[in-house]
Amino acid sequence: MTRWKELSGANERTAEMEPIGVVDIGSNSVRLVIYEGAVRAPTPVFNEKILCGLGRSVASTGSLGIEAVDRALAALSRFRIIAKILSVKNLKVIATAAVRDAQNGRDFIEQGQRAIGARIEVLSGDTEARLAAQGIMMGFVDPDGVVGDLGGGSLELIDLTQERLKEAATLPLGGLRLIDTTGNKIERATDVIDAAIASLPWVRNGAGRTFYAVGGTWRSLAKLQMDRVDYPLRVMQGYKLTTREALDLCEQFRKAKKPLDIPGIAGVAKARREVLPFGALVLERLLRQMEPRQIVFSVFGIREGLIYGLLPPFEKARDPLISFCEDYAALRSRSVAHAFELCDWTDQLFADPAQEETADERRLRHAACILSDVGWRAHPDYRGEQSVNTIAHAGLGGVDHPGRIFLALSVFHRHETSEEEGGGQLSDRLRSLVTKRVQRRARIVGAAIRTAHMLSIGMAGVIDQTSLSYENGTLVLTIPAAYAALDGERLRRRFETLAALVGKRPEIRITG
């Protein structure tokens, strides 16, 4: 029995999960996210935010505004009913900078707890920073860099190496706070921002590393950049910019006479637009002092960090990408056990030194195998196209955009033999974002899975009785006599394609 057959029962695990809800009362928005369960790759089943602007006047008046409080309490009352409808028994409610700093924060908490029907925990700046770091741990594998979580009231900065927090701090540089303290005069904000960042000498430890950007304002900036360059993969998680690209984007706002004239900004929520120039300025000044190698945007933040903190050690240790793929395959494929057999079966194909792969490439290949059958219910003519769309835009963690594209293209080639066949415009544009090596590997993996399905018909217990091997320039597929009748024209045609892709002659042997 292979390691892949020692399953934890993905279907049973999914069925046994209890939904968990997180209400995040931020300085700008109040949001409810309900996840399927507290697992390594949590899937949201409900996500709603209401922009309330609780932190709009805290710096100047010391208090939460009456209108903002009313909006927030109405949101909490709504969220209470939604959580009840979705049978959420475990509801975590947290509040951040605005409530923490306001003179009437305690009164709001008392009213808010009655509205939501649960205890509200007011996070300290240190706790907020720790949860933001844990959010990055949830969404990335072995993160190394500085995390920045920009909210309406504050900016949390954390130096993170894998799962170790080296430094952490909270700065009063949230978009709403800066609008309040500068009288909405962005030219007054530069000195305030520079002085605050300069108070943290360790920020320069981010030089040459990754800066992980968290928060809705920075995600809106990234969306504008995607529009600006017509980027084909509209997925925020793992989207990367070089420092130069990010600075160019930020400078657009600083140099624009009217930021509302910036292309694409009409697609940003009106309540978010006013803080964008300040969020861009914070990012620009931070990057100039830190000088990181790249900026990576994350949709994982303090809410996911809270879930991460609830996980037992064995669950934290799981690979977030493989964890998601296992759960997704359990819901969408015909046989998860067969998907795991494909991992072992394709290991043999990549045993040849000519097909050498890195540890991360091997991990991605296994993920592609596990996802390979999720499109089987689609019409045969559109399985490739629908698989590309489904996988490219899935809620994957632990993978960058080139890796995500590799997965999508691999499963596309599992259904389609050529690049021109099906797939639509999206697959063509995705190919333009990855190297020839990634494209070639996707074709090989797709062709291998396509060959395997001619033997197994998508069911477990067949391909693990066959083998792949290399002999003197030949790729040999060995089939036991009990399955000899599966050999035929279609299998041979698919196997010939696979052999050609790895530069070998094909040979099928029947044994026993």
Side-chain angles (χ1 to χ4, degrees):
M1 180 176 290
T2 70
R3 67 191 185 282
W4 294 106
K5 289 187 177 179
E6 297 170 356
L7 307 181
S8 58
N11 278 307
E12 291 81 1
R13 190 169 81 94
T14 302
E16 291 173 358
M17 287 192 296
E18 287 191 2
I20 181 171
V22 179
V23 177
D24 178 4
I25 305 171
S27 299
N28 199 14
S29 65
V30 177
R31 184 188 291 267
L32 167 66
V33 184
I34 296 174
Y35 303 91
E36 281 186 323
V39 294
R40 186 62 180 86
T43 299
V45 296
F46 182 85
N47 188 335
E48 180 175 299
K49 72 174 179 182
I50 297 176
L51 293 168
C52 301
L54 280 171
R56 182 174 300 279
S57 60
V58 171
S60 58
T61 69
S63 299
L64 305 171
I66 295 175
E67 183 179 345
V69 166
D70 289 343
R71 285 177 62 82
L73 293 175
L76 294 175
S77 296
R78 171 176 165 78
F79 292 165
R80 179 178 186 172
I81 300 300
I82 291 171
K84 182 178 179 181
I85 292 171
L86 294 177
S87 301
V88 176
K89 298 177 182 178
N90 190 357
L91 186 65
K92 304 290 185 180
V93 190
I94 55 177
T96 55
V99 176
R100 181 171 68 233
D101 297 339
Q103 296 172 358
N104 58 345
R106 185 181 297 275
D107 291 338
F108 171 79
I109 291 299
E110 292 177 357
Q111 297 177 71
Q113 289 180 155
R114 289 194 293 270
I116 193 64
R119 175 179 173 270
I120 298 175
E121 178 184 1
V122 181
L123 303 180
S124 67
D126 287 345
T127 300
E128 194 172 346
R130 175 175 56 81
L131 291 180
Q134 289 180 177
I136 296 299
M137 295 176 199
M138 180 73 95
F140 296 87
V141 175
D142 296 333
D144 180 17
V146 175
V147 181
D149 186 353
L150 182 68
S154 64
L155 167 66
E156 278 65 51
L157 291 172
I158 313 98
D159 189 335
L160 175 66
T161 298
Q162 295 183 348
E163 295 192 359
R164 187 162 66 92
L165 281 65
K166 294 181 177 179
E167 302 280 357
T170 296
L171 300 177
L173 298 180
L176 289 179
R177 181 182 289 268
L178 286 172
I179 289 173
D180 192 17
T181 55
T182 65
N184 203 16
K185 303 294 185 182
I186 196 165
E187 61 273 12
R188 299 178 183 173
T190 301
D191 290 343
V192 174
I193 296 168
D194 285 349
I197 297 171
S199 71
L200 304 176
W202 59 262
V203 164
R204 297 189 181 277
N205 294 338
R209 297 163 71 199
T210 295
F211 178 68
Y212 297 92
V214 182
T217 298
W218 283 344
R219 288 195 295 272
S220 293
L221 285 175
K223 181 179 182 298
L224 289 177
Q225 177 69 5
M226 287 179 171
D227 291 338
R228 184 184 185 188
V229 300
D230 194 23
Y231 190 75
L233 183 57
R234 296 308 177 98
V235 174
M236 198 56 60
Q237 176 64 18
Y239 179 56
K240 295 179 182 179
L241 295 177
T242 65
T243 298
R244 182 66 263 168
E245 289 171 333
L247 287 172
D248 287 345
L249 176 64
C250 294
E251 286 173 359
Q252 266 198 312
F253 283 89
R254 182 164 49 79
K255 295 177 180 179
K257 294 181 179 179
K258 295 182 179 180
L260 292 180
D261 292 336
I262 290 175
I265 201 168
V268 177
K270 186 176 181 181
R272 180 76 71 187
R273 290 179 211 164
E274 66 173 336
V275 299
L276 272 180
F278 290 88
L281 185 60
V282 171
L283 183 59
E284 178 187 346
R285 305 314 297 175
L286 185 59
L287 295 180
R288 292 194 184 281
Q289 291 199 41
M290 185 186 300
E291 298 182 341
R293 175 172 54 88
Q294 63 181 0
I295 294 84
V296 176
F297 294 87
S298 174
V299 300
F300 292 77
I302 63 172
R303 294 177 294 274
E304 290 74 22
L306 190 154
I307 300 295
Y308 185 84
L310 300 175
L311 301 180
F314 76 88
E315 190 75 14
K316 289 179 180 178
R318 298 184 73 204
D319 185 312
L321 173 62
I322 299 300
S323 179
F324 176 91
C325 293
E326 289 178 7
D327 289 344
Y328 199 66
L331 294 170
R332 301 290 293 271
S333 66
R334 285 170 288 187
S335 170
V336 179
H338 177 261
F340 294 144
E341 287 179 355
L342 283 171
C343 297
D344 288 330
W345 199 75
T346 58
D347 280 348
Q348 302 169 93
L349 184 66
F350 285 84
D352 183 11
Q355 307 304 324
E356 184 179 4
E357 56 185 357
T358 66
D360 190 57
E361 287 174 335
R362 182 175 184 270
R363 167 179 171 267
L364 288 169
R365 171 169 56 80
H366 285 172
C369 289
I370 297 169
L371 290 174
S372 63
D373 201 39
V374 298
W376 76 275
R377 289 183 181 272
H379 187 283
D381 292 346
Y382 301 102
R383 283 176 185 159
E385 180 178 352
Q386 292 198 17
S387 294
V388 166
N389 278 282
T390 297
I391 295 172
H393 298 101
L396 302 170
V399 65
D400 59 13
H401 278 208
R404 181 185 289 268
I405 293 168
F406 167 80
L407 297 178
L409 293 178
S410 294
V411 181
F412 166 74
H413 287 298
R414 170 259 186 274
H415 293 290
E416 312 288 358
T417 56
S418 69
E419 296 181 1
E420 291 76 23
E421 186 178 358
Q425 186 181 23
L426 177 61
S427 62
D428 294 335
R429 299 188 68 203
L430 292 181
R431 286 188 192 93
S432 69
L433 298 179
V434 295
T435 64
K436 294 294 184 183
R437 176 181 173 86
V438 170
Q439 294 179 46
R440 177 177 178 274
R441 282 178 50 79
R443 286 194 293 271
I444 293 172
V445 172
I449 296 170
R450 190 172 173 84
T451 300
H453 273 266
M454 286 304 300
L455 288 166
S456 65
I457 324 302
M459 292 293 108
V462 178
I463 61 170
D464 64 345
Q465 298 185 55
T466 71
S467 66
L468 291 171
S469 60
Y470 291 96
E471 295 181 15
N472 300 320
T474 300
L475 178 63
V476 179
L477 169 60
T478 302
I479 303 174
Y483 292 107
L486 291 174
D487 185 13
E489 180 182 339
R490 294 192 69 197
L491 172 63
R492 287 180 176 269
R493 189 164 62 243
R494 292 189 179 186
F495 186 60
E496 286 170 3
T497 299
L498 174 61
L501 286 170
V502 296
K504 306 295 181 182
R505 297 182 300 273
E507 181 182 338
I508 295 179
R509 294 178 187 170
I510 308 298
T511 61

